[in-house]
């Protein structure tokens, strides 16, 4: 029998469900208010199965991952609210990154395609019959550097694509994880996600150890699993969490400082929020700088091509002047 597809509920429906549950409405009545089919859920209840797990099948993928974790540590309404906040966190940061990188990457891609088109088709055709005349040092040097840049970008892009495909298909060996997690960008991303979960659990008054257990249970994210296992191992040795975070090599200095201040002043949630905002702003500033560099390089490629084509077109006139 073909497996029946479950209907995915929209995010605003999950928000309304959380509000109704928080006000004390029974789950089945909430679903009736939302005009949802409750037959499968009622069948699960009769069989003694968890109806919350059944409801999770109707969640979007970005929400379901967080929902399955928070259901283990808090009530259903709180789990939905925490999951929605975490999903919004992820969507907003991705939206901001796409907004900052879309135009520069388009310009860079357009410049790369234009460079390839000119180097392989236009310039060789224009140079036919003028090879000896085009022995100008500036022209030949510019052509050499443009080819060098083009093949360099091609090799780097191909290598990055192959690395991404290999990482998706095969797991990264654990012996390479320490080197990977010491890269500043990876360290900042690990710290950012960890701080987001710590903040959500702090709002619910739950132990921060829960965040570690969640990261260990993540599938398809070996970096987070390795990071969480290193935290768990240090805590099993009897070390305090604040000491572990302060000395941990895979946590960035900004999170260490904010966590330490929050622990000492009793304002951990506020300090974590400050760190999250600071880290997002730092990434946006970095993306703006990268955007300026990419656009400058792209316009530079196109400018060099225009100058070279202009020089080639002037060759017949130069030949007529020498005749």
């Amino acid at each position: 029998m073909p497996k029946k597809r479950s209907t995915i509920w929209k995010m605003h429906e999950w928000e309304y469900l959380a509000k109704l549950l928080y006000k004390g409405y029974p789950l089945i009545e909430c679903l009736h208010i939302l005009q949802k089919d409750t037959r499968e859920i009622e069948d699960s209840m009769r069989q003694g199965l968890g109806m919350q797990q059944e409801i999770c099948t109707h969640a979007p993928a970005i929400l379901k991952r967080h929902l399955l974790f928070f259901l283990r540590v808090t009530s259903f309404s709180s789990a939905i609210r925490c999951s929605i906040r975490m999903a919004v966190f992820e969507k907003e940061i991705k939206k901001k990154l796409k907004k900052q990188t879309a135009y520069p990457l388009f310009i860079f891609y357009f410049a790369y395609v234009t460079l390839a088109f000119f180097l392989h088709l236009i310039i060789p055709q224009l140079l036919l019959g003028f090879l000896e005349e085009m022995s100008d040092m500036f022209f030949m040097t510019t052509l050499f550097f443009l080819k060098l840049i083009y093949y360099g970008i091609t090799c780097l892009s191909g290598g990055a694509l192959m690395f991404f495909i290999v990482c998706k298909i095969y797991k990264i060996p654990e012996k390479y994880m320490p080197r990977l997690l010491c890269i500043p960008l990876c360290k900042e991303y690990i710290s950012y996600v960890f701080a987001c979960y710590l903040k959500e659990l702090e709002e619910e008054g739950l132990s921060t150890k829960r965040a570690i257990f969640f990261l260990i249970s993540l599938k398809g994210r070996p970096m987070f699993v390795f990071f969480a296992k290193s935290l768990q191992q240090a805590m099993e040795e009897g070390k305090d969490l604040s000491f572990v975070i302060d000395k941990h090599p895979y946590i960035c200095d900004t999170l260490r400082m904010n966590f330490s201040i929050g622990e000492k002043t009793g304002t951990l949630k506020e300090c974590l929020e400050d760190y999250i905002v600071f880290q997002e702003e730092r990434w946006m500033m970095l993306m703006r700088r990268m955007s300026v560099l990419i656009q400058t390089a792209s316009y530079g490629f196109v400018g060099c091509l225009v100058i070279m084509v202009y020089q080639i077109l002037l060759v017949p006139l130069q030949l007529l002047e020498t005749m």
Side-chain angles (χ1 to χ4, degrees):
M1 293 290 292
K3 194 173 182 179
K4 190 177 180 180
R5 291 186 177 180
S6 59
T7 305
I8 303 300
W9 300 346
K10 298 185 182 299
M11 195 68 76
H12 70 272
E13 294 177 320
W14 284 98
E15 292 177 359
Y16 192 44
L17 175 62
K19 290 179 181 178
L20 292 173
L21 290 171
Y22 183 73
K23 292 180 179 178
Y25 287 88
L27 178 59
I28 298 298
E29 188 175 340
C30 294
L31 296 177
H32 286 153
I33 294 173
L34 290 169
Q35 299 180 350
K36 300 296 180 184
D37 188 4
T38 61
R39 286 175 295 180
E40 292 182 0
I41 298 171
E42 290 174 347
D43 290 341
S44 299
M45 291 174 63
R46 294 191 195 98
Q47 296 172 13
L49 302 175
M51 58 180 176
Q52 295 177 351
Q53 299 294 328
E54 177 65 33
I55 293 176
C56 287
T57 60
H58 300 279
I62 191 172
L63 182 66
K64 184 179 180 180
R65 184 173 67 250
H66 302 294
L67 193 58
L68 289 173
F69 162 66
F70 284 111
L71 277 174
R72 289 180 256 165
V73 297
T74 186
S75 63
F76 194 32
S77 61
S78 297
I80 295 174
R81 291 200 306 272
C82 293
S83 301
I84 289 173
R85 287 197 294 267
M86 290 302 302
V88 169
F89 262 127
E90 289 189 9
K91 290 178 71 174
E92 285 298 316
I93 193 66
K94 289 179 181 178
K95 185 178 178 181
K96 290 176 183 177
L97 289 174
K98 287 179 181 178
K99 185 178 179 180
Q100 289 290 333
T101 57
Y103 179 70
L105 288 178
F106 170 76
I107 295 295
F108 183 77
Y109 177 74
F110 178 77
Y112 175 77
V113 172
T114 305
L115 184 63
F117 181 71
F118 270 78
L119 289 178
H120 290 287
L121 296 176
I122 302 300
I123 291 179
Q125 291 295 323
L126 291 175
L127 285 176
L128 290 175
F130 299 113
L131 191 59
E132 294 181 0
E133 290 78 5
M134 291 306 298
S135 59
D136 180 71
M137 182 62 68
F138 173 77
F139 178 85
M140 300 306 295
T141 303
T142 306
L143 182 61
F144 171 76
F145 275 109
L146 283 177
K147 286 183 177 180
L148 188 65
I149 291 170
Y150 167 73
Y151 289 116
I153 293 173
T154 303
C155 292
L156 287 174
S157 302
L161 182 62
M162 288 297 296
F163 178 77
F164 179 78
I165 292 173
V166 169
C167 290
K168 279 289 184 181
I169 298 175
Y170 305 102
K171 290 184 179 181
I172 303 174
E174 285 197 358
K175 64 180 180 180
Y176 297 120
M177 283 295 176
R179 295 180 183 179
L180 184 63
L181 290 175
C182 286
I183 298 173
L185 187 60
C186 293
K187 189 185 294 188
E188 289 177 1
Y189 183 62
I190 289 282
S191 302
Y192 174 80
V193 175
F194 185 57
C196 290
Y197 280 102
L198 285 180
K199 184 184 79 70
E200 291 300 323
L201 293 170
E202 187 70 19
E203 284 189 1
E204 297 297 323
L206 299 169
S207 170
T208 52
K209 294 180 181 179
R210 302 284 188 175
I212 299 172
F213 296 144
F214 168 73
L215 292 175
I216 292 174
S217 66
L218 282 175
K219 295 180 180 179
R221 295 191 177 186
M223 283 197 308
F224 289 101
V225 174
F226 184 83
F227 166 71
K229 284 181 178 178
S230 66
L231 286 176
Q232 186 186 42
Q233 183 179 0
M235 295 181 68
E236 286 176 351
E237 293 174 357
K239 297 177 182 177
D240 186 63
L241 181 62
S242 58
F243 176 81
V244 172
I245 290 178
D246 185 57
K247 301 297 182 181
H248 204 282
Y250 308 143
I251 294 177
C252 67
D253 295 335
T254 311
L255 178 58
R256 291 178 189 170
M257 181 182 65
N258 280 268
F259 188 88
S260 178
I261 294 172
E263 283 280 292
K264 292 176 182 177
T265 60
T267 58
L268 182 58
K269 175 178 170 292
E270 289 77 10
C271 288
L272 290 173
E273 286 178 349
D274 293 339
Y275 163 74
I276 291 168
V277 173
F278 169 81
Q279 190 61 59
E280 289 178 357
E281 289 296 326
R282 187 179 182 282
W283 282 338
M284 291 302 108
M285 184 173 63
L286 180 63
M287 293 307 301
R288 284 192 287 268
R289 289 177 180 174
M290 291 296 296
S291 172
V292 172
L293 290 175
I294 291 172
Q295 291 183 58
T296 303
S298 302
Y299 293 140
F301 297 159
V302 176
C304 289
L305 289 173
V306 170
I307 293 172
M308 292 176 65
V309 172
Y310 178 72
Q311 282 190 321
I312 295 172
L313 294 176
L314 286 179
V315 171
L317 295 177
Q318 293 172 359
L319 292 175
L320 289 175
E321 289 178 359
T322 58
M323 290 178 64

